[in-house]
Amino acid sequence: MKNISPKAIIGKNVIVDDFVVVADHAQIGDNCKIHYFSFVDEGVSIGKNTKIQNNVMIPHGVRLEEGVFVGPNAVFTNDKYPRSITTDEKLKSSTDWTLSETLVKKGASIGAGAIIVCGINLGEWCMVAAGSVVTKNIPDHAMVKGNPARICGYVDKTGTPMKRIEEEEDYCLYYSEKENAEYKIAKHANDRKTDL
């Protein structure tokens, strides 16, 4: 049993498991998998080849580019300052709050139980460790963990940690053994003590 709005746009070869809700005007690209008990809110955009595991709510204002992985029980938010009532103590309506959008870029992975606070970008091929709380932008290829999440290294496109092999004034050079490739990572993004 699933509830897919006729106003949603669903690509080819999309697998939607039981107990999934896809709301009006959601867009899901080709070859996506959305697993049990997940919710895709109104207007959400999901790029092709994306996998969403069980019990994930993707609220209005979140956009996932292609090839994103979202682990089970990951949480997205879309309101930086949530309240149930207004200052005159009336129940808020759908127009009484400000949407804060989140962008998850191509190839990014979000681990199980991670919390993504709204209004940020997750860089291409980044990796968020399970249970992390992400409150700021994540650079491309960064691996982050903790609460608040901090950069703990950099990963290649396979998700394997890379070795730093050279340091220049503006960037560090990392080597991927699995890909036999080098990556230039901007040095400002290399501070492992920076809260994210």
Side-chain angles (χ1 to χ4, degrees):
M1 180 173 119
K2 45 196 135 206
N3 185 355
I4 301 174
S5 167
K7 295 179 182 177
I9 299 169
I10 310 292
K12 297 175 184 174
N13 303 315
V14 172
I15 297 171
V16 178
D17 284 336
D18 286 340
F19 310 108
V20 170
V21 175
V22 179
D24 292 350
H25 311 295
Q27 297 180 35
I28 301 173
D30 296 344
N31 307 313
C32 289
K33 293 181 180 178
I34 303 176
H35 291 278
Y36 298 95
F37 301 102
S38 292
F39 176 75
V40 180
D41 203 358
E42 181 177 344
V44 166
S45 174
I46 298 173
K48 66 182 181 180
N49 302 318
T50 290
K51 183 185 278 188
I52 298 165
Q53 297 289 15
N54 299 344
N55 302 307
V56 174
M57 185 196 131
I58 305 176
H60 178 64
V62 173
R63 182 161 62 99
L64 308 179
E65 291 186 347
E66 64 184 69
V68 169
F69 174 87
V70 182
N73 299 299
V75 176
F76 291 91
T77 65
N78 64 1
D79 186 353
K80 275 203 183 257
Y81 308 105
R83 291 284 194 205
S84 178
I85 56 175
T86 61
T87 54
D88 57 357
E89 300 186 12
K90 293 182 180 171
L91 186 65
K92 279 191 168 189
S93 72
S94 60
T95 59
D96 288 330
W97 64 289
T98 302
L99 177 68
S100 291
E101 297 182 345
T102 298
L103 172 62
V104 182
K105 294 184 178 179
K106 178 174 72 176
S109 291
I110 299 169
I115 298 172
I116 311 301
V117 177
C118 55
I120 61 173
N121 294 334
L122 278 62
E124 291 188 3
W125 304 102
C126 74
M127 184 167 288
V128 177
S132 298
V133 179
V134 182
T135 62
K136 293 185 181 174
N137 293 341
I138 299 176
D140 295 349
H141 292 279
M143 179 190 297
V144 302
K145 66 179 180 180
N147 179 9
R150 294 185 170 114
I151 297 171
C152 60
Y154 290 88
V155 294
D156 62 19
K157 289 182 180 180
T158 71
T160 304
M162 297 188 289
K163 293 180 182 177
R164 184 164 64 180
I165 57 173
E166 189 178 324
E167 188 170 336
E168 298 292 335
E169 187 176 343
D170 297 329
Y171 67 89
C172 290
L173 203 58
Y174 283 81
Y175 175 68
S176 162
E177 193 172 308
K178 268 201 171 175
E179 296 178 18
N180 190 25
E182 293 179 354
Y183 287 84
K184 261 187 184 180
I185 306 291
K187 204 164 187 184
H188 71 273
N190 199 35
D191 181 1
R192 295 183 185 197
K193 295 178 181 176
T194 301
D195 290 351
L196 292 175

